[in-house]
Amino acid sequence: RTEHLALNSTTNQRLTQLILNIADDVLRDLYVRGKYRDVILPMTVIRRLDSVLTTTKQNVLSTKKTLDAAGIVNQDAALRQAAGQDFYNGSAFLMKDLRAASTQMQLRQNFEAYLDGFSPNVQEILENFEFRNQIPRLTKADALGTLIEKFLDPTLDLSPTALDNHGMGSVFEDLVRRFNEENNEEAGEHWTPRDVVRLMTRLMFEPIADSIPDGTYLLYDGAMGTGGMLTVAEDTLTGLTEGKNISTHLYGQEINAETFAIAKADLILKGDGRAADNIKGGPEFS
C-alpha cells in the first residue's frame, strides 16, 4: 500500500509539473506569472471533463437531438443521465476536434461553441473563473491552438484510465497551492494547509466519534474558501465512524469568485458532482 501511494504521488507530481510547463511554454510572453492561473486552472478542469466525457459523447448528442426535436427545454437531468456523469457537453466537439480549425477565427468560434456546450454547473465554474475573458488575448497572440495542443499531448493523460477522481483532485489542489505560493499570497488567504485542516476536523469529531449514531449528516461551511474543510471533514468523519452506517451531504458557500470556482471544480473533478450542486457562491451571492 505504501509503495502504491508513493507511485500515485509521483505520478500526480509529474502531471502537475507538465501542466505548469504548459504555462511557461505558452503564456510566458502573454501574461505576468501571477496571472497564469487564469488560464491554466480552467483549462485543466476542461481537459479532465473532456477526457471523462469522451466515451458517452455520441449518446449525449443523440439524446440532445431527440430532446430538441421534442421541444423539451429543461434537458439537464436527461443529458446528465446520457453522459453517465453529473456534467456533460452538448456541443458537436470534443477538445481533439478543435484541431481541425483552419484559421484562428474559426478556432476561436469553435472553442467558444465547445465551451457553450458544457452543462450549467460547469458554466458556473467558467464564469467565475472569467475564463472567456482570456480567449481574445489568446487568439490575438495565436496561442489558443498551441494551448489546446499542449493539453492534448498524450504525455499529459488526464483520462480516468490514467488518473482516478482522487488523483485528479490531488493534481488540481497541488496546482492551486503552487500558484498561491508563486503569488506570495498570505498563508491561509485562499488555502489552509491540509495537515492543519485534518487536525481541526479530528479535534471536532474525535471526542464524540463513539457516540455519533447511524444516520445522514449535513456538513456545512459558510465561508468555505476552496472547500478543503468540507472534503477533509467528510473523510475524517467517515474514517472515525468506520463500521457505522453514516452518510454525508456537503453544503457550502464562498463569495470570492475564483475561490468559489476552484471549490466547485474540485468537487466535480473528484467525482462528487452532486455535492458540487450544493456549493453556492460568487460575488452576486453576497
Side-chain angles (χ1 to χ4, degrees):
R1 177 174 171 83
T2 302
E3 290 178 358
H4 180 66
L5 290 173
L7 181 61
N8 284 347
S9 178
T10 301
T11 300
N12 295 350
Q13 289 172 11
R14 181 182 64 82
L15 291 171
T16 299
Q17 191 56 54
L18 285 173
I19 294 170
L20 292 172
N21 290 346
I22 293 175
D24 283 330
D25 291 344
V26 181
L27 305 180
R28 178 173 294 176
D29 296 327
L30 289 178
Y31 292 81
V32 296
R33 196 169 191 85
K35 293 292 185 180
Y36 287 178
R37 64 191 294 155
D38 295 353
V39 174
I40 296 301
L41 291 180
M43 276 297 294
T44 301
V45 174
I46 291 165
R47 182 66 188 114
R48 170 63 173 193
L49 301 187
D50 185 83
S51 299
V52 172
L53 294 174
T54 299
T55 57
T56 56
K57 180 69 172 182
Q58 292 308 312
N59 192 34
V60 169
L61 293 182
S62 62
T63 301
K64 181 169 176 53
K65 184 177 180 180
T66 301
L67 294 171
D68 288 343
I72 296 174
V73 177
N74 188 0
Q75 302 180 358
D76 189 67
L79 292 178
R80 287 190 186 205
Q81 184 175 10
Q85 304 290 337
D86 287 318
F87 53 88
Y88 54 86
N89 187 310
S91 77
F93 304 100
L94 287 167
M95 188 181 284
K96 64 182 178 63
D97 301 324
L98 299 171
R99 294 186 291 194
S102 57
T103 66
Q104 282 296 308
M105 187 51 64
Q106 184 187 10
L107 175 61
R108 175 177 175 174
Q109 291 172 349
N110 290 354
F111 187 58
E112 288 176 336
Y114 168 72
L115 294 180
D116 291 344
F118 276 109
S119 48
N121 53 351
V122 179
Q123 295 298 337
E124 195 172 16
I125 293 169
L126 297 176
E127 288 163 11
N128 280 278
F129 271 130
E130 299 184 351
F131 180 56
R132 285 180 176 84
N133 294 351
Q134 311 306 323
I135 297 174
R137 176 186 287 193
L138 292 166
T139 303
K140 186 176 180 180
D142 200 17
L144 181 58
T146 305
L147 181 69
I148 292 170
E149 196 66 48
K150 292 281 188 182
F151 269 94
L152 289 169
D153 191 308
T155 60
L156 180 62
D157 189 352
L158 299 184
S159 70
T161 55
L163 194 65
D164 63 15
N165 289 330
H166 178 76
M168 186 64 233
S170 297
V171 169
F172 189 68
E173 289 178 0
D174 198 30
L175 285 171
V176 174
R177 178 185 62 80
R178 295 278 289 272
F179 282 130
N180 285 350
E181 288 175 353
E182 287 184 359
N183 289 353
N184 294 317
E185 293 186 359
E186 291 292 327
E189 182 176 355
H190 296 304
W191 181 266
T192 305
R194 282 298 179 265
D195 55 348
V196 174
V197 176
R198 290 189 188 96
L199 175 60
M200 292 171 68
T201 56
R202 286 187 70 87
L203 289 172
M204 181 167 53
F205 289 127
E206 195 159 335
I208 60 170
D210 292 339
S211 59
I212 296 176
D214 292 351
T216 300
Y217 293 88
L218 308 184
L219 302 180
Y220 174 73
D221 190 339
M224 65 181 293
T226 55
M229 184 68 75
L230 275 178
T231 54
V232 174
E234 182 179 46
D235 290 343
T236 302
L237 178 59
T238 302
L240 290 173
T241 56
E242 191 172 355
K244 293 186 177 183
N245 187 17
I246 299 288
S247 61
T248 56
H249 298 289
L250 305 184
Y251 289 81
Q253 63 181 26
E254 169 58 38
I255 188 173
N256 180 275
E258 186 196 40
T259 311
F260 164 64
I262 290 170
K264 196 174 184 78
D266 191 39
L267 284 170
I268 289 179
L269 293 177
K270 288 175 177 173
D272 205 349
R274 295 297 179 184
D277 289 340
N278 299 329
I279 303 302
K280 309 298 181 182
E284 72 281 0
F285 197 71
S286 60

